[in-house]
Amino acid sequence: MNVAKSVRFWDTVDAKKSPSRQMTAEEDKSNVTELALALVNRAITAAIKAVEEAENPIKNIKWITHGEFTAERGRRQIEEFVLTWEYQDCWVHYTDFIKREDLIHSFRYIYSVRWSLPTAQRPMLQVSASAHFSIKINKNKPPDAPIDVSYVFEGQSLVHR
């Protein structure tokens, strides 16, 4: 897969300075500091511009706390979160609660979200995709602490939080 990246350099090097000229240590430090500050300012400006121009910014929801959590509320929260994602209207999805695991210091609730592309001619799914959500409830955290949510897409190993 070929990926092309474009890189722009905005400043030019001052070639008028003689390389044989000896700079004092103080001049050398000030030039390096000025150059470093200019580079950092340009990097920050470019990052802000990239975020502002992003067509699909990352969307999130206000997740419930440990005290408010139930398996059904967790399922509804995942539904609410998935509805913020952008995908074609012809895809339908459903969320299932799979199981609860009792770990040493926490409970883990596992959910599955499946998308399919049914049609009137073929109501059974032939094309599907899924994501597996995990909600971790720590036994030692206070009731007002937010829940820990992570998910992976089928066939992927990257864990999203």
Side-chain angles (χ1 to χ4, degrees):
M1 183 166 118
N2 291 336
V3 177
K5 292 185 179 182
S6 62
V7 178
R8 291 185 218 158
F9 292 97
W10 295 68
D11 282 343
T12 58
V13 177
D14 188 5
K16 294 179 183 176
K17 291 186 177 179
S18 170
S20 61
R21 181 179 167 241
Q22 295 291 332
M23 294 204 301
T24 66
E26 192 61 38
E27 286 178 331
D28 191 29
K29 286 180 186 176
S30 71
N31 286 341
V32 169
T33 303
E34 289 175 17
L35 180 61
L37 286 173
L39 287 171
V40 169
N41 284 333
R42 278 197 308 271
I44 291 171
T45 303
I48 291 171
K49 185 177 179 182
V51 169
E52 288 174 349
E53 292 178 353
E55 292 179 19
N56 299 319
I58 297 171
K59 298 174 185 168
N60 205 343
I61 63 169
K62 183 170 178 5
W63 292 94
I64 58 178
T65 62
H66 279 72
E68 300 169 328
F69 182 81
T70 64
E72 177 58 24
R73 280 190 177 163
R75 189 192 67 73
R76 286 192 305 231
Q77 284 267 274
I78 291 171
E79 279 282 322
E80 182 183 344
F81 179 62
V82 168
L83 288 174
T84 65
W85 296 353
E86 295 180 18
Y87 53 88
Q88 294 178 352
D89 292 335
C90 59
W91 287 86
V92 295
H93 75 277
Y94 63 94
T95 304
D96 279 336
F97 170 67
I98 305 298
K99 65 181 175 179
R100 176 185 136 173
E101 297 175 344
D102 189 0
L103 306 173
I104 295 171
H105 297 288
S106 62
F107 294 107
R108 186 179 315 152
Y109 293 81
I110 309 294
Y111 298 86
S112 175
V113 180
R114 294 193 60 82
W115 289 266
S116 63
L117 194 61
T119 63
Q121 296 82 15
R122 295 189 182 260
M124 299 303 292
L125 62 102
Q126 288 189 331
V127 178
S128 69
S130 66
H132 302 284
F133 281 78
S134 174
I135 296 179
K136 183 178 175 185
I137 304 296
N138 289 329
K139 295 176 182 176
N140 301 330
K141 284 198 175 176
D144 60 342
I147 60 176
D148 181 26
V149 181
S150 60
Y151 60 97
V152 293
F153 292 102
E154 73 175 322
Q156 302 292 317
S157 59
L158 178 64
V159 177
H160 300 271
R161 298 191 181 273

mmCIF file with all atom_site columns, all heavy atoms in Angstrom, residues 7-21:
data_model
loop_
_atom_site.group_PDB
_atom_site.id
_atom_site.type_symbol
_atom_site.label_atom_id
_atom_site.label_alt_id
_atom_site.label_comp_id
_atom_site.label_asym_id
_atom_site.label_entity_id
_atom_site.label_seq_id
_atom_site.pdbx_PDB_ins_code
_atom_site.Cartn_x
_atom_site.Cartn_y
_atom_site.Cartn_z
_atom_site.occupancy
_atom_site.B_iso_or_equiv
_atom_site.pdbx_formal_charge
_atom_site.auth_seq_id
_atom_site.auth_comp_id
_atom_site.auth_asym_id
_atom_site.auth_atom_id
_atom_site.pdbx_PDB_model_num
ATOM 1   N N   . VAL A 1 7  ? 5.309  17.054 3.217  1.00 0.00 ? 7  VAL A N   1
ATOM 2   C CA  . VAL A 1 7  ? 5.973  17.759 4.302  1.00 0.00 ? 7  VAL A CA  1
ATOM 3   C C   . VAL A 1 7  ? 6.348  19.136 3.786  1.00 0.00 ? 7  VAL A C   1
ATOM 4   O O   . VAL A 1 7  ? 6.891  19.271 2.697  1.00 0.00 ? 7  VAL A O   1
ATOM 5   C CB  . VAL A 1 7  ? 7.237  16.999 4.766  1.00 0.00 ? 7  VAL A CB  1
ATOM 6   C CG1 . VAL A 1 7  ? 7.942  17.775 5.860  1.00 0.00 ? 7  VAL A CG1 1
ATOM 7   C CG2 . VAL A 1 7  ? 6.885  15.606 5.213  1.00 0.00 ? 7  VAL A CG2 1
ATOM 8   N N   . ARG A 1 8  ? 6.040  20.151 4.577  1.00 0.00 ? 8  ARG A N   1
ATOM 9   C CA  . ARG A 1 8  ? 6.374  21.514 4.180  1.00 0.00 ? 8  ARG A CA  1
ATOM 10  C C   . ARG A 1 8  ? 7.334  22.115 5.188  1.00 0.00 ? 8  ARG A C   1
ATOM 11  O O   . ARG A 1 8  ? 7.149  21.961 6.387  1.00 0.00 ? 8  ARG A O   1
ATOM 12  C CB  . ARG A 1 8  ? 5.117  22.383 4.153  1.00 0.00 ? 8  ARG A CB  1
ATOM 13  C CG  . ARG A 1 8  ? 4.176  22.029 3.067  1.00 0.00 ? 8  ARG A CG  1
ATOM 14  C CD  . ARG A 1 8  ? 3.052  23.024 3.054  1.00 0.00 ? 8  ARG A CD  1
ATOM 15  N NE  . ARG A 1 8  ? 1.837  22.297 2.758  1.00 0.00 ? 8  ARG A NE  1
ATOM 16  C CZ  . ARG A 1 8  ? 0.642  22.705 3.045  1.00 0.00 ? 8  ARG A CZ  1
ATOM 17  N NH1 . ARG A 1 8  ? 0.456  23.838 3.652  1.00 0.00 ? 8  ARG A NH1 1
ATOM 18  N NH2 . ARG A 1 8  ? -0.404 21.985 2.744  1.00 0.00 ? 8  ARG A NH2 1
ATOM 19  N N   . PHE A 1 9  ? 8.332  22.790 4.694  1.00 0.00 ? 9  PHE A N   1
ATOM 20  C CA  . PHE A 1 9  ? 9.242  23.538 5.544  1.00 0.00 ? 9  PHE A CA  1
ATOM 21  C C   . PHE A 1 9  ? 8.989  25.006 5.277  1.00 0.00 ? 9  PHE A C   1
ATOM 22  O O   . PHE A 1 9  ? 9.044  25.463 4.142  1.00 0.00 ? 9  PHE A O   1
ATOM 23  C CB  . PHE A 1 9  ? 10.703 23.193 5.232  1.00 0.00 ? 9  PHE A CB  1
ATOM 24  C CG  . PHE A 1 9  ? 11.065 21.799 5.613  1.00 0.00 ? 9  PHE A CG  1
ATOM 25  C CD1 . PHE A 1 9  ? 11.051 20.783 4.673  1.00 0.00 ? 9  PHE A CD1 1
ATOM 26  C CD2 . PHE A 1 9  ? 11.388 21.486 6.920  1.00 0.00 ? 9  PHE A CD2 1
ATOM 27  C CE1 . PHE A 1 9  ? 11.372 19.490 5.029  1.00 0.00 ? 9  PHE A CE1 1
ATOM 28  C CE2 . PHE A 1 9  ? 11.706 20.204 7.285  1.00 0.00 ? 9  PHE A CE2 1
ATOM 29  C CZ  . PHE A 1 9  ? 11.699 19.206 6.334  1.00 0.00 ? 9  PHE A CZ  1
ATOM 30  N N   . TRP A 1 10 ? 8.719  25.731 6.328  1.00 0.00 ? 10 TRP A N   1
ATOM 31  C CA  . TRP A 1 10 ? 8.316  27.116 6.165  1.00 0.00 ? 10 TRP A CA  1
ATOM 32  C C   . TRP A 1 10 ? 9.485  28.085 6.261  1.00 0.00 ? 10 TRP A C   1
ATOM 33  O O   . TRP A 1 10 ? 9.438  29.169 5.715  1.00 0.00 ? 10 TRP A O   1
ATOM 34  C CB  . TRP A 1 10 ? 7.286  27.474 7.227  1.00 0.00 ? 10 TRP A CB  1
ATOM 35  C CG  . TRP A 1 10 ? 6.024  26.685 7.034  1.00 0.00 ? 10 TRP A CG  1
ATOM 36  C CD1 . TRP A 1 10 ? 5.879  25.348 7.202  1.00 0.00 ? 10 TRP A CD1 1
ATOM 37  C CD2 . TRP A 1 10 ? 4.774  27.154 6.597  1.00 0.00 ? 10 TRP A CD2 1
ATOM 38  N NE1 . TRP A 1 10 ? 4.607  24.967 6.913  1.00 0.00 ? 10 TRP A NE1 1
ATOM 39  C CE2 . TRP A 1 10 ? 3.899  26.069 6.534  1.00 0.00 ? 10 TRP A CE2 1
ATOM 40  C CE3 . TRP A 1 10 ? 4.286  28.401 6.254  1.00 0.00 ? 10 TRP A CE3 1
ATOM 41  C CZ2 . TRP A 1 10 ? 2.590  26.196 6.147  1.00 0.00 ? 10 TRP A CZ2 1
ATOM 42  C CZ3 . TRP A 1 10 ? 2.966  28.508 5.878  1.00 0.00 ? 10 TRP A CZ3 1
ATOM 43  C CH2 . TRP A 1 10 ? 2.134  27.412 5.818  1.00 0.00 ? 10 TRP A CH2 1
ATOM 44  N N   . ASP A 1 11 ? 10.511 27.747 6.974  1.00 0.00 ? 11 ASP A N   1
ATOM 45  C CA  . ASP A 1 11 ? 11.647 28.660 7.109  1.00 0.00 ? 11 ASP A CA  1
ATOM 46  C C   . ASP A 1 11 ? 12.771 28.244 6.162  1.00 0.00 ? 11 ASP A C   1
ATOM 47  O O   . ASP A 1 11 ? 12.897 27.089 5.797  1.00 0.00 ? 11 ASP A O   1
ATOM 48  C CB  . ASP A 1 11 ? 12.197 28.639 8.530  1.00 0.00 ? 11 ASP A CB  1
ATOM 49  C CG  . ASP A 1 11 ? 11.334 29.460 9.465  1.00 0.00 ? 11 ASP A CG  1
ATOM 50  O OD1 . ASP A 1 11 ? 10.539 30.277 8.972  1.00 0.00 ? 11 ASP A OD1 1
ATOM 51  O OD2 . ASP A 1 11 ? 11.470 29.272 10.682 1.00 0.00 ? 11 ASP A OD2 1
ATOM 52  N N   . THR A 1 12 ? 13.575 29.232 5.807  1.00 0.00 ? 12 THR A N   1
ATOM 53  C CA  . THR A 1 12 ? 14.747 28.953 4.992  1.00 0.00 ? 12 THR A CA  1
ATOM 54  C C   . THR A 1 12 ? 15.989 29.187 5.835  1.00 0.00 ? 12 THR A C   1
ATOM 55  O O   . THR A 1 12 ? 15.958 29.916 6.825  1.00 0.00 ? 12 THR A O   1
ATOM 56  C CB  . THR A 1 12 ? 14.794 29.872 3.749  1.00 0.00 ? 12 THR A CB  1
ATOM 57  O OG1 . THR A 1 12 ? 14.783 31.215 4.194  1.00 0.00 ? 12 THR A OG1 1
ATOM 58  C CG2 . THR A 1 12 ? 13.618 29.592 2.839  1.00 0.00 ? 12 THR A CG2 1
ATOM 59  N N   . VAL A 1 13 ? 17.049 28.569 5.454  1.00 0.00 ? 13 VAL A N   1
ATOM 60  C CA  . VAL A 1 13 ? 18.308 28.714 6.175  1.00 0.00 ? 13 VAL A CA  1
ATOM 61  C C   . VAL A 1 13 ? 19.010 29.958 5.644  1.00 0.00 ? 13 VAL A C   1
ATOM 62  O O   . VAL A 1 13 ? 19.038 30.217 4.441  1.00 0.00 ? 13 VAL A O   1
ATOM 63  C CB  . VAL A 1 13 ? 19.181 27.457 5.968  1.00 0.00 ? 13 VAL A CB  1
ATOM 64  C CG1 . VAL A 1 13 ? 20.526 27.632 6.641  1.00 0.00 ? 13 VAL A CG1 1
ATOM 65  C CG2 . VAL A 1 13 ? 18.456 26.238 6.487  1.00 0.00 ? 13 VAL A CG2 1
ATOM 66  N N   . ASP A 1 14 ? 19.591 30.718 6.547  1.00 0.00 ? 14 ASP A N   1
ATOM 67  C CA  . ASP A 1 14 ? 20.313 31.921 6.166  1.00 0.00 ? 14 ASP A CA  1
ATOM 68  C C   . ASP A 1 14 ? 21.702 31.525 5.680  1.00 0.00 ? 14 ASP A C   1
ATOM 69  O O   . ASP A 1 14 ? 22.584 31.214 6.473  1.00 0.00 ? 14 ASP A O   1
ATOM 70  C CB  . ASP A 1 14 ? 20.406 32.876 7.354  1.00 0.00 ? 14 ASP A CB  1
ATOM 71  C CG  . ASP A 1 14 ? 20.983 34.221 6.962  1.00 0.00 ? 14 ASP A CG  1
ATOM 72  O OD1 . ASP A 1 14 ? 21.219 34.440 5.751  1.00 0.00 ? 14 ASP A OD1 1
ATOM 73  O OD2 . ASP A 1 14 ? 21.190 35.052 7.865  1.00 0.00 ? 14 ASP A OD2 1
ATOM 74  N N   . ALA A 1 15 ? 21.875 31.518 4.376  1.00 0.00 ? 15 ALA A N   1
ATOM 75  C CA  . ALA A 1 15 ? 23.136 31.086 3.789  1.00 0.00 ? 15 ALA A CA  1
ATOM 76  C C   . ALA A 1 15 ? 24.157 32.227 3.724  1.00 0.00 ? 15 ALA A C   1
ATOM 77  O O   . ALA A 1 15 ? 25.289 32.018 3.319  1.00 0.00 ? 15 ALA A O   1
ATOM 78  C CB  . ALA A 1 15 ? 22.897 30.548 2.388  1.00 0.00 ? 15 ALA A CB  1
ATOM 79  N N   . LYS A 1 16 ? 23.769 33.442 4.120  1.00 0.00 ? 16 LYS A N   1
ATOM 80  C CA  . LYS A 1 16 ? 24.671 34.577 4.045  1.00 0.00 ? 16 LYS A CA  1
ATOM 81  C C   . LYS A 1 16 ? 25.734 34.557 5.130  1.00 0.00 ? 16 LYS A C   1
ATOM 82  O O   . LYS A 1 16 ? 26.757 35.193 4.993  1.00 0.00 ? 16 LYS A O   1
ATOM 83  C CB  . LYS A 1 16 ? 23.882 35.881 4.132  1.00 0.00 ? 16 LYS A CB  1
ATOM 84  C CG  . LYS A 1 16 ? 22.968 36.093 2.946  1.00 0.00 ? 16 LYS A CG  1
ATOM 85  C CD  . LYS A 1 16 ? 22.192 37.372 3.095  1.00 0.00 ? 16 LYS A CD  1
ATOM 86  C CE  . LYS A 1 16 ? 21.236 37.524 1.921  1.00 0.00 ? 16 LYS A CE  1
ATOM 87  N NZ  . LYS A 1 16 ? 20.389 38.695 2.048  1.00 0.00 ? 16 LYS A NZ  1
ATOM 88  N N   . LYS A 1 17 ? 25.456 33.822 6.199  1.00 0.00 ? 17 LYS A N   1
ATOM 89  C CA  . LYS A 1 17 ? 26.447 33.756 7.270  1.00 0.00 ? 17 LYS A CA  1
ATOM 90  C C   . LYS A 1 17 ? 27.602 32.877 6.826  1.00 0.00 ? 17 LYS A C   1
ATOM 91  O O   . LYS A 1 17 ? 27.403 31.804 6.297  1.00 0.00 ? 17 LYS A O   1
ATOM 92  C CB  . LYS A 1 17 ? 25.824 33.200 8.541  1.00 0.00 ? 17 LYS A CB  1
ATOM 93  C CG  . LYS A 1 17 ? 24.830 34.141 9.166  1.00 0.00 ? 17 LYS A CG  1
ATOM 94  C CD  . LYS A 1 17 ? 24.359 33.614 10.492 1.00 0.00 ? 17 LYS A CD  1
ATOM 95  C CE  . LYS A 1 17 ? 23.412 34.605 11.128 1.00 0.00 ? 17 LYS A CE  1
ATOM 96  N NZ  . LYS A 1 17 ? 22.916 34.143 12.398 1.00 0.00 ? 17 LYS A NZ  1
ATOM 97  N N   . SER A 1 18 ? 28.766 33.340 7.065  1.00 0.00 ? 18 SER A N   1
ATOM 98  C CA  . SER A 1 18 ? 29.957 32.605 6.663  1.00 0.00 ? 18 SER A CA  1
ATOM 99  C C   . SER A 1 18 ? 30.174 31.429 7.599  1.00 0.00 ? 18 SER A C   1
ATOM 100 O O   . SER A 1 18 ? 30.170 31.603 8.817  1.00 0.00 ? 18 SER A O   1
ATOM 101 C CB  . SER A 1 18 ? 31.171 33.538 6.689  1.00 0.00 ? 18 SER A CB  1
ATOM 102 O OG  . SER A 1 18 ? 32.346 32.787 6.538  1.00 0.00 ? 18 SER A OG  1
ATOM 103 N N   . PRO A 1 19 ? 30.380 30.215 7.053  1.00 0.00 ? 19 PRO A N   1
ATOM 104 C CA  . PRO A 1 19 ? 30.634 29.080 7.938  1.00 0.00 ? 19 PRO A CA  1
ATOM 105 C C   . PRO A 1 19 ? 31.970 29.196 8.655  1.00 0.00 ? 19 PRO A C   1
ATOM 106 O O   . PRO A 1 19 ? 32.191 28.554 9.671  1.00 0.00 ? 19 PRO A O   1
ATOM 107 C CB  . PRO A 1 19 ? 30.622 27.887 6.995  1.00 0.00 ? 19 PRO A CB  1
ATOM 108 C CG  . PRO A 1 19 ? 30.807 28.427 5.637  1.00 0.00 ? 19 PRO A CG  1
ATOM 109 C CD  . PRO A 1 19 ? 30.344 29.847 5.664  1.00 0.00 ? 19 PRO A CD  1
ATOM 110 N N   . SER A 1 20 ? 32.873 30.039 8.146  1.00 0.00 ? 20 SER A N   1
ATOM 111 C CA  . SER A 1 20 ? 34.183 30.160 8.775  1.00 0.00 ? 20 SER A CA  1
ATOM 112 C C   . SER A 1 20 ? 34.150 31.109 9.976  1.00 0.00 ? 20 SER A C   1
ATOM 113 O O   . SER A 1 20 ? 35.081 31.132 10.762 1.00 0.00 ? 20 SER A O   1
ATOM 114 C CB  . SER A 1 20 ? 35.214 30.642 7.753  1.00 0.00 ? 20 SER A CB  1
ATOM 115 O OG  . SER A 1 20 ? 34.840 31.907 7.275  1.00 0.00 ? 20 SER A OG  1
ATOM 116 N N   . ARG A 1 21 ? 33.084 31.907 10.059 1.00 0.00 ? 21 ARG A N   1
ATOM 117 C CA  . ARG A 1 21 ? 32.978 32.856 11.166 1.00 0.00 ? 21 ARG A CA  1
ATOM 118 C C   . ARG A 1 21 ? 32.762 32.094 12.467 1.00 0.00 ? 21 ARG A C   1
ATOM 119 O O   . ARG A 1 21 ? 31.925 31.229 12.567 1.00 0.00 ? 21 ARG A O   1
ATOM 120 C CB  . ARG A 1 21 ? 31.804 33.799 10.911 1.00 0.00 ? 21 ARG A CB  1
ATOM 121 C CG  . ARG A 1 21 ? 31.630 34.818 11.983 1.00 0.00 ? 21 ARG A CG  1
ATOM 122 C CD  . ARG A 1 21 ? 30.453 35.747 11.648 1.00 0.00 ? 21 ARG A CD  1
ATOM 123 N NE  . ARG A 1 21 ? 30.130 36.494 12.844 1.00 0.00 ? 21 ARG A NE  1
ATOM 124 C CZ  . ARG A 1 21 ? 28.965 36.456 13.460 1.00 0.00 ? 21 ARG A CZ  1
ATOM 125 N NH1 . ARG A 1 21 ? 27.998 35.723 12.981 1.00 0.00 ? 21 ARG A NH1 1
ATOM 126 N NH2 . ARG A 1 21 ? 28.756 37.172 14.542 1.00 0.00 ? 21 ARG A NH2 1
#
